[in-house]
Amino acid sequence: MERRWIVKQMRLLFAVLTLLCGAALTAGELDSPVGYWMTIDDNDGKPRGIVKIEEKEGELVGHIVKVFPRPGEEDNPVCVKCKGEMAGKRAIGMRVLWGMKKDGDEWNGGGVMDPDNGETYKGYLKLQSFGRKLKLRGYVGISLFGRSQIWLRQQNFKETTTK
């Protein structure tokens, strides 16, 4: 009897927290990074873009779908520092995340690309804050030598078809 009461109280607490944090997420959104994510600039803390993460053949892949340009920047800039197949490509549509596979409560084994410097890194993802935040860690060699970003889930983002 006491266990049932505790379970009910935990469910009630979770429901209240969900309402306080914004619109409720579905169970699938709570345990998957699939969706739209706002990236935040490391230097000024302002939104930098929106990345759409999809699952394809059991792996996560992410593409830029929106850019928040700074004054003097194009709406869809060319990646001048990118190398290889990404050299000279426009930001919107650019693949910035690939090959991540679920491993426990993380997704890893893939890579990430930083369009600001054109470098690619090994990486992993982990959901936080009931699926509303995504910790992205990019690194060279071992995870100790890298940096992390927190991306914010965008539930109501509507992708436009203009690039």
Side-chain angles (χ1 to χ4, degrees):
M1 186 73 161
E2 184 175 312
R3 185 168 187 251
R4 286 186 196 163
W5 182 83
I6 291 172
V7 169
K8 285 182 182 179
Q9 295 305 310
M10 294 299 289
R11 287 182 182 158
L12 178 61
L13 177 61
F14 181 77
V16 169
L17 287 173
T18 300
L19 289 173
L20 290 174
C21 293
L25 295 172
T26 66
E29 289 173 311
L30 290 173
D31 60 7
S32 171
V34 170
Y36 294 95
W37 296 91
M38 180 182 296
T39 66
I40 306 297
D41 189 287
D42 291 337
N43 297 317
D44 64 13
K46 294 181 180 177
R48 193 66 178 135
I50 303 284
V51 173
K52 180 181 183 181
I53 298 179
E54 300 174 283
E55 185 173 344
K56 295 185 178 182
E57 299 177 10
E59 296 182 354
L60 297 179
V61 62
H63 293 85
I64 298 172
V65 295
K66 181 164 180 61
V67 175
F68 299 111
R70 301 295 185 258
E73 290 182 347
E74 292 182 52
D75 288 342
N76 187 9
V78 170
C79 188
V80 295
K81 295 183 179 179
C82 292
K83 301 170 186 103
E85 67 181 57
M86 296 299 167
K89 300 282 184 183
R90 294 275 176 190
I92 295 177
M94 182 177 291
R95 183 186 68 167
V96 292
L97 176 96
W98 60 90
M100 302 284 184
K101 295 181 183 177
K102 187 155 178 62
D103 182 15
D105 64 348
E106 294 181 350
W107 287 261
N108 60 44
V112 296
M113 195 270 292
D114 182 346
D116 287 333
N117 65 23
E119 298 294 327
T120 59
Y121 306 92
K122 293 180 182 178
Y124 70 85
L125 306 172
K126 186 171 185 172
L127 289 167
Q128 298 179 334
S129 299
F130 302 106
R132 287 181 175 72
K133 294 182 180 180
L134 183 67
K135 178 182 178 181
L136 168 70
R137 178 89 177 155
Y139 57 92
V140 177
I142 60 173
S143 180
L144 178 65
F145 302 113
R147 76 175 207 249
S148 296
Q149 285 190 332
I150 300 295
W151 292 1
L152 307 174
R153 188 182 293 273
Q154 302 300 293
Q155 286 180 260
N156 299 318
F157 180 78
K158 301 293 184 219
E159 191 172 346
T160 61
T161 56
T162 58
K163 292 186 181 182

